[in-house]
């Protein structure tokens, strides 16, 4: 069958996947379109609720890249601090790493026989 | 004269000739330089496709320059075996196709993207030379010739990385750094070439492969070639030049630099498989490559997550994705001497790794072009300053979504197909490696969600009210790559069966490689 990729443990077909997604998507859309009985349009239900604070303007509410995953990077400070320090931007360090890795590989290849 | 027999040299000679013609044409008509470059690269693309069809149906092609025979003798009695060869098998043409597509798309994209810059004759001339360097590295069957093409590609890359302006500090600094690391790698490659020539008195890959003894000197040559070629491919911890170079080069050049890195990766695979093959300790060298893969995947993606410069972020992802290629092919190499494991999962792992090379060139190329499109319209690479651009750059947004989904390994795009092959086969070798690869994919998705949110989502920002979609030629270039990504995603079996599997087998079966060349000698 066209589009059927044998993976050694099974197979993958993007075409079959798309058909499945379309079928499941249609069911989801059908259920969604049936609607929620208690919903009333143009009432306070339409407004966002941000802890009771007044809503910011749309332009002000855009979250910049620096704020995204702040918690993730903060929690992994112990990992990130040395890693970022390693990236000095100094060409001497770049060259140093090449030499160090070359020596390690020369030893590994030499010793392994 | 049958021109079809000369396709291998025409693919390289046409852009080379155009590289020298472009500055001359530029004296008469500056605008014609881009058109001539695009024309030359489109001819190269057509010829590469023609050669690919020939190689995949007839078999590997050897093209000889210089002496017709290695034992040619002059009338004076002097032996004069001065000759080099192009040896193009399924793996070589696989890489050639990537180079041909990427350089053509890069030229088309440059037509408008670089319009405002001065010195375009030099830009296009260097772009063509970079293409020549890549083709040469992929087609040559000669070690010293490989060194020459590596140098051509490196020198052209240095100039192109720093092209954005001498008065700007960062591009010049990035170019300088790339020049230093390239010089170190060139020296080590040259030293390795000298070791082979000193021992065997030959420079041809296949000829060396047929007599290689894996002596201490051969081990030293291998120990020099592995790290420098891995470094040129962007392997951690020798990857630090990549964010500098990729972020400062013009977007189409960044896309081509990715392909250049992959040409070095190809050279590494060519060395370990076609030159040494089972004469080396496959398990040790395989694990060296796997460790490069693991470090590159994980450190690349975690560094990407914290970036604010869109191109630096993508550059770290390029490092991370190269890790998948190392992983897949490394597993294949580690079980090379074990026919049962090789057949059970080694070949599939290599297919995943090699397929990922092509997929990566396409989606990473597309992502860098979308980053270029954003820079073209907003004048910034800082994600903190962007927002709401999906309102005004609808095509770019769609292309970005396609590229981001592909790199994150989301079905039905091409990245998923190659990653699936890697996950399933590597799991049989060592489940932990496969799990790490999957975690890296999740982090990749998280990282591109951040880019998508920061640059494209949100309300239309006042400073970008005048922003509109990029010109048609840039949209066309991105559309070409998007179509390839979708096609490869929908029909990965066609690509794996007709392109990837023959490429993998040409690496594994050393005798096939040496036989073609030595037969043609």
């Amino acid at each position: 069958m066209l589009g059927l990729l044998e993976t050694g443990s099974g197979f993958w077909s993007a075409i079959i996947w798309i058909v499945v997604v379309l079928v499941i998507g249609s069911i989801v859309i059908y259920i969604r379109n049936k609607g929620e009985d208690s919903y009333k349009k143009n009432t306070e239900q339409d407004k966002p609720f941000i802890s009771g604070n007044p809503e910011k303007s749309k332009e002000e509410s855009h979250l910049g890249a620096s704020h995204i995953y702040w918690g993730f990077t903060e929690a992994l400070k112990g990992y990130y601090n040395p890693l970022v320090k390693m990236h000095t931007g100094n060409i001497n360090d770049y060259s140093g790493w090449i030499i160090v890795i070359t020596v390690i590989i020369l030893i590994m290849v030499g010793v392994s026989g | 004269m049958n021109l079809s027999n000369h396709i291998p040299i025409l693919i390289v000679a046409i852009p080379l000739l155009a590289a020298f013609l472009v500055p001359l044409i530029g004296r008469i008509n500056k605008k014609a330089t881009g058109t001539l470059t695009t024309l030359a690269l489109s001819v190269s693309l057509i010829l590469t496709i023609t050669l690919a069809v020939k190689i995949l149906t007839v078999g590997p092609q050897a093209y000889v320059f210089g002496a017709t025979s290695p034992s040619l003798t002059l009338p004076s009695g002097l032996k004069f075996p001065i000759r080099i060869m192009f040896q193009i098998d399924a793996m070589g043409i696989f890489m050639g196709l990537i180079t041909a597509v990427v350089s053509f798309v890069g030229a088309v994209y440059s037509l408008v993207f670089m319009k405002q810059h001065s010195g375009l004759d030099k830009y296009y001339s260097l772009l063509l030379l970079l293409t020549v360097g890549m083709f040469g590295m992929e087609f040559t069957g000669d070690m010293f010739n490989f060194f020459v093409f590596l140098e051509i590609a490196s020198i052209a890359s240095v100039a192109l990385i720093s092209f954005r302006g001498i008065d700007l500090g960062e591009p010049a600094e990035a170019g300088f750094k790339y020049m230093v690391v390239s010089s170190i790698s060139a020296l080590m490659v040259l030293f390795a070439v000298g070791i082979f020539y000193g021992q065997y008195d030959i420079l041809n890959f296949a000829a060396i492969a047929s007599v290689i003894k894996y002596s201490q000197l051969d081990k030293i040559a291998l120990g020099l070639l592995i790290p420098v070629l891995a470094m040129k491919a962007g392997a951690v911890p020798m990857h630090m030049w990549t964010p500098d170079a990729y972020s400062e080069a013009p977007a189409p050049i960044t896309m081509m630099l990715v392909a250049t890195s992959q040409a070095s990766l190809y050279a590494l695979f060519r060395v370990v498989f076609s030159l040494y093959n089972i004469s080396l300790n496959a398990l040790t060298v395989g694990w060296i490559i796997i460790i490069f893969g693991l470090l590159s995947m994980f450190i690349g993606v975690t560094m990407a997550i914290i970036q604010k410069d869109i191109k630096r972020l993508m550059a770290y992802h390029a490092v991370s994705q190269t890790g998948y290629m190392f992983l897949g092919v490394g597993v294949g190499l580690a079980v090379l001497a074990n026919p049962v494991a090789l057949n059970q999962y080694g070949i599939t792992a290599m297919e995943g790794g090699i397929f990922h090379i092509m997929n990566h060139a396409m989606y990473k190329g597309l992502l860098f072009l979308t980053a270029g499109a954003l820079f073209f319209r907003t004048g910034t690479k800082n994600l903190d300053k962007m927002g709401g651009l999906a309102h005004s750059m609808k095509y770019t947004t769609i292309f970005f979504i396609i590229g981001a989904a592909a790199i994150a390994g989301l079905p039905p795009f091409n990245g998923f197909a190659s990653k699936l092959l890697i996950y399933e086969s590597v799991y049989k070798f060592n489940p932990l490696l496969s799990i790490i690869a999957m975690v890296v994919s999740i982090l990749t998705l998280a990282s591109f969600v951040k880019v998508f949110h920061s640059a494209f989502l949100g309300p239309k920002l006042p400073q970008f009210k005048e922003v509109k979609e990029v010109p048609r030629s840039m949209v066309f270039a991105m559309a070409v790559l998007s179509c390839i990504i979708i096609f490869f995603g929908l029909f990965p079996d066609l690509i794996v069966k007709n392109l990837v599997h023959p490429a993998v087998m040409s690496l594994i079966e050393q005798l096939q490689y040496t036989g073609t060349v030595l037969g043609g000698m």
Side-chain angles (χ1 to χ4, degrees), chain A residues 3-4 7-9 12 14 17-18 58 62-63 65-66 68-69 73 79-80 87 89 91 94 97 101 109 112-113, chain B residues 177 219 239-240 244 281 284 302 306 308 316 348 383-384 411-412 416 420 424 428 446 453-454 457 459 489-490 493:
Chain A
L4 203 72
T7 63
S9 306
W12 161 249
W17 184 86
I18 290 169
K58 280 186 177 176
H62 182 61
L63 205 60
S66 297
I68 301 173
Y69 304 137
T73 49
Y79 167 76
Y80 271 114
H87 293 77
I91 187 64
Y94 295 10
W97 276 111
I101 298 299
V109 171
S112 69
Chain B
K177 286 175 180 174
K219 287 180 185 176
H239 64 290
M240 292 159 190
D244 297 331
N281 188 328
T284 306
T302 47
I306 58 171
K308 292 168 208 160
Y316 277 111
T348 314
L383 284 167
D384 277 335
F416 175 79
L420 182 68
E424 292 202 355
K428 290 176 186 168
H453 178 272
S454 314
L457 297 187
L490 291 179
D493 54 319

Side-chain angles (χ1 to χ4, degrees), chain B residues 54-69:
Chain B
K54 191 175 179 184
I55 287 171
L56 295 170
T57 48
V58 179
Q61 303 287 307
Y63 189 88
V64 181
F65 306 84
T68 48
S69 155

Side-chain angles (χ1 to χ4, degrees), chain A residues 3-78:
Chain A
L4 203 72
L5 177 68
E6 299 282 345
T7 63
S9 306
F11 72 92
W12 161 249
S13 168
I15 313 256
I16 295 174
W17 184 86
I18 290 169
V19 171
V20 170
V21 166
L22 285 178
V23 170
I24 295 172
S26 307
I27 295 168
V28 169
I29 289 169
Y30 170 75
I31 294 169
R32 187 186 181 278
N33 284 348
K34 285 188 81 178
E36 165 60 46
D37 294 339
S38 61
Y39 172 69
K40 288 173 194 132
K41 211 172 180 182
N42 296 326
T43 63
E44 76 287 349
Q45 287 182 350
D46 282 348
K47 290 183 180 170
F49 180 80
I50 309 173
S51 307
N53 296 319
E55 189 188 353
K56 282 183 179 176
S57 74
K58 280 186 177 176
E59 283 74 13
E60 283 175 7
S61 63
H62 182 61
L63 205 60
S66 297
H67 301 291
I68 301 173
Y69 304 137
W70 176 85
F72 175 81
T73 49
E74 191 68 14
L76 293 175
K77 251 185 175 172

